[in-house]
């Protein structure tokens, strides 16, 4: 039996492990952290559970190919799915713009806000509707398809292609400018940062959400990862946690073994780096096997930006009944920067539908403040000075509580900061370059990447995970993990079993 060593126990590593076991390989996952899941995680603080990942999961809809894949890896076994009424609500002055799940409701509520924008709203909603028939490709990857399969695949994309082209060519700001009403402009324009970020993500997010394809598995991110771990172990896989791989040892174009931080060696026939791309190319491979596609992207952060988060967990000593699950509200100067400008609004998510996330009668709330360059670099240097780093975190604690009390005076004296994670938290726990929580973000100039994970000059080793198909996300991790095993099966002349 051939052996596969998998570096990283995130969703991609677990997916690769499960599909490898299903196809008759012996596998071992080596994970740096003391627990699996990678960025798909959550943690406990003061009797609360802070979910650190899933705001929405594409592939929850029964009967879709992606849902079948999630089921195959045990991610959604016996799990209830929560379907929030809105993706998010965005406040602007006296108005609230709801991104409802029901697309007609969304359309009518927006027309009510701004009858003058009827034409632009209808065009936007019609385009979103065109994505309702679209399913994220999760079968064979393109490089393994024959000509007929490729023709069928491109034919299946015929309705979606024009929508992708249309929104890929304009920035989020240009899309927002098609609307007259300042509240609609703000709701759309703040979906992505200002600058050359493409408008495509908003259309995709709303396409899958209003088409019923993305919702939230009850129990959250950590439990989803643990269910996959369970499936993997039941199939006979092995996991070694607190085991950081530092080097790939290579002979004649083949990796022979990996060396860990504490000097252990693990040999195999195949190796999968289900970890950060930068860690693989510059760390484990010491820069000796560069990939031009990744070099181009890492060297051009303007067109290929990375993003991370300040992620704040709050315990609220009461129940929440009448606030949308995710709400964006404007704030006065907080002393926090985002995209090199003072933060002007906060995005808050509460978990009143998850009774196990908080002591009875209480609710857990999270805030995600996206960070880009130059903030990512600032966090990198702050982390070198523990006192300054902690001071910055304290400043954020105070700012968030004050902003909440301003917006929700009834919450005064009932709020407790549970935790502040920064981009450096993701770097420290997940080895995520600059704390990136997805792959490169889509911009107008940036070219889409659809990488096979092949490493030039090595024929038994692949990269897998969110970096292969930016902007990444959990479905990409799941699919690329499976795809890597399909490639290994092809090499072994085995029929791949899903
Ligand atoms: C706050 C937040 C919110 C998010 N929300 C969503 C969402 O709503 N929906 C969605 O689809 N996605 C979301 N994502 C993105 C999603 O979590 C990631 O895209 C996905 O988990 C990436 O999985 P991965 O396996 O490719 O990589 P990772 O999760 O990064 O896993 C890599 C693993 O490799 C390990 N590792 C790294 N280097 C080594 C080494 N040298 N040796 C051993 N182990 C190593 C790491 O510790 C880690 O466990 C969110 C992410 C964050 C942080």
């Amino acid at each position: 039996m051939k052996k596969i060593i998998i570096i990283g126990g995130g969703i991609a590593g677990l997916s690769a492990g499960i599909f490898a076991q299903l196809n008759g390989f012996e596998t071992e996952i080596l994970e740096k952290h003391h627990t699996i899941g990678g960025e798909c995680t959550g943690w406990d603080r003061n009797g609360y559970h802070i979910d650190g990942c899933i705001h929405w999961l594409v592939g929850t809809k029964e009967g879709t190919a992606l849902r079948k894949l999630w089921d195959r890896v045990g991610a959604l076994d016996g799990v209830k799915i929560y379907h929030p009424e809105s993706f998010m609500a965005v406040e602007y002055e006296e108005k609230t713009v709801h991104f409802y799940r029901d697309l007609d409701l969304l359309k009518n509520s927006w027309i009510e806000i701004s009858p003058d924008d009827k034409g632009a709203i209808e065009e936007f909603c019609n385009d979103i509707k065109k994505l309702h028939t679209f399913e994220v490709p999760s079968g064979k990857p393109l490089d393994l398809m024959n000509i007929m399969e490729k023709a069928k695949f491109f034919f299946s994309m015929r309705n979606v292609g024009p929508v992708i082209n249309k929104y890929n060519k304009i920035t989020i700001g240009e899309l927002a400018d098609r609307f007259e009403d300042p509240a609609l402009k703000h709701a759309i324009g703040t979906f992505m940062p200002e600058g050359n970020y493409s408008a495509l993500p908003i259309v995709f997010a709303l396409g899958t959400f209003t088409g019923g394809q993305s919702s939230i598995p009850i129990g959250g991110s950590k439990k989803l990862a643990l269910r996959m771990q369970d499936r993997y172990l039941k199939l006979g896989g092995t996991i070694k946690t607190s085991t950081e791989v530092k080097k790939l040892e290579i002979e004649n174009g083949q990796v022979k073994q990996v060396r860990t931080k504490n000097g252990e060696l693990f040999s195999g026939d195949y190796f999968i780096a289900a970890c950060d791309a930068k860690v693989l190319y510059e760390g484990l491979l010491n820069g000796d096997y560069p990939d031009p596609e990744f070099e181009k992207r890492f060297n051009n952060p303007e067109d290929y930006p990375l993003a991370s988060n300040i992620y704040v967990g709050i315990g609220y000593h009461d129940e929440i009944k009448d606030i949308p699950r995710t709400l964006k509200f404007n704030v006065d100067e907080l002393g926090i920067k985002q995209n090199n400008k003072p933060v002007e609004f906060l995005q808050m998510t509460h978990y009143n539908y998850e009774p196990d996330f908080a002591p009875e009668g209480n609710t857990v709330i999270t805030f995600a403040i996206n960070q880009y360059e130059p903030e990512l670099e600032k966090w990198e240097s702050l982390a070198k000075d523990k006192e300054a780093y902690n001071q910055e975190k304290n400043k954020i604690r105070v700012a968030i509580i004050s902003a909440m009390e301003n917006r929700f005076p009834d919450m005064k004296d009932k709020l407790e900061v549970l935790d502040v994670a920064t981009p450096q938290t993701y770097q420290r726990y997940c080895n995520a370059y600059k704390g990136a929580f997805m792959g490169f973000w889509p911009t107008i100039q940036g070219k889409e990447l659809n990488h096979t994970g092949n490493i030039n000059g090595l024929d038994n080793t692949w990269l897998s995970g969110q970096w292969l198909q930016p902007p990444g996300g959990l479905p990409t991790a799941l699919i690329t993990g499976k795809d890597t095993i399909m490639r290994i099966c092809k090499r072994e002349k085995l029929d791949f079993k899903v």
Side-chain angles (χ1 to χ4, degrees), residues 7-13 30-33 35-40 52-58 243-246 274-276 279 284 309 311 426 429-432 437-438 464-467 471-475 477:
I7 304 160
I11 298 305
L30 307 177
E31 167 55 50
K32 161 187 188 283
H33 198 19
T35 178
I36 53 78
E39 295 186 346
C40 183
C53 181
I54 300 174
H55 289 73
W56 45 287
L57 179 71
V58 180
T243 303
E244 181 174 5
V245 174
K246 280 291 186 192
C275 59
D276 186 279
V279 166
L284 310 186
N309 249 335
Y311 202 71
Y426 300 104
Y429 288 113
C430 305
N431 254 0
F437 74 106
M438 308 269 271
S464 197
Q466 60 178 346
W467 292 94
L474 297 164

Side-chain angles (χ1 to χ4, degrees), residues 197-374:
Y197 290 81
S198 139
L200 192 59
I202 190 173
V203 184
F204 253 106
L206 291 177
T208 58
F209 184 69
T210 60
Q213 296 197 43
S214 60
S215 285
I216 301 154
I218 290 289
S221 312
K222 180 80 194 182
K223 283 203 173 149
L224 182 143
L226 288 174
R227 284 189 295 273
M228 286 179 69
Q229 169 178 266
D230 204 38
R231 172 68 50 98
Y232 172 66
L233 293 176
K234 280 195 178 125
L235 287 166
T238 325
I239 299 178
K240 252 188 138 237
T241 52
S242 304
T243 303
E244 181 174 5
V245 174
K246 280 291 186 192
K247 193 168 187 279
L248 304 186
E249 307 222 323
I250 298 164
E251 271 173 41
N252 305 323
Q254 292 223 323
V255 176
K256 292 293 176 197
Q257 51 191 3
V258 301
R259 181 179 290 275
T260 69
K261 192 176 177 183
N262 43 18
E264 278 180 285
L265 293 170
F266 293 84
S267 346
D269 301 289
Y270 292 105
F271 297 82
I272 300 175
C275 59
D276 186 279
K278 190 86 171 178
V279 166
L280 168 69
Y281 290 110
E282 291 187 12
L284 310 186
L285 292 171
N286 195 32
D288 296 337
Y289 296 82
D291 183 284
E293 291 297 332
F294 279 104
E295 295 268 291
K296 181 168 90 188
R297 285 166 176 80
F298 282 122
N299 291 333
N300 182 357
E302 183 81 8
D303 293 344
Y304 299 98
L306 296 174
S308 187
N309 249 335
I310 299 169
Y311 202 71
V312 184
I314 303 279
Y316 173 48
H317 304 157
D318 209 339
E319 293 176 348
I320 292 183
K321 295 218 164 71
D322 48 6
I323 301 175
R325 175 182 178 265
T326 297
L327 179 72
K328 222 181 235 183
F329 57 91
N330 283 322
V331 291
D332 297 333
E333 171 73 55
L334 291 180
I336 306 172
K337 284 202 166 174
Q338 177 179 58
N339 207 21
N340 211 17
K341 280 174 59 187
V343 165
E344 289 173 349
F345 55 83
L346 286 176
Q347 183 171 313
M348 162 180 135
T349 298
H350 70 76
Y351 299 77
N352 68 350
Y353 57 93
E354 286 278 14
D356 292 347
F357 280 16
E360 207 178 334
N362 298 267
T363 316
V364 70
I365 298 172
T366 59
F367 283 85
I369 305 170
N370 282 359
Q371 299 280 273
Y372 311 90
E373 292 296 9

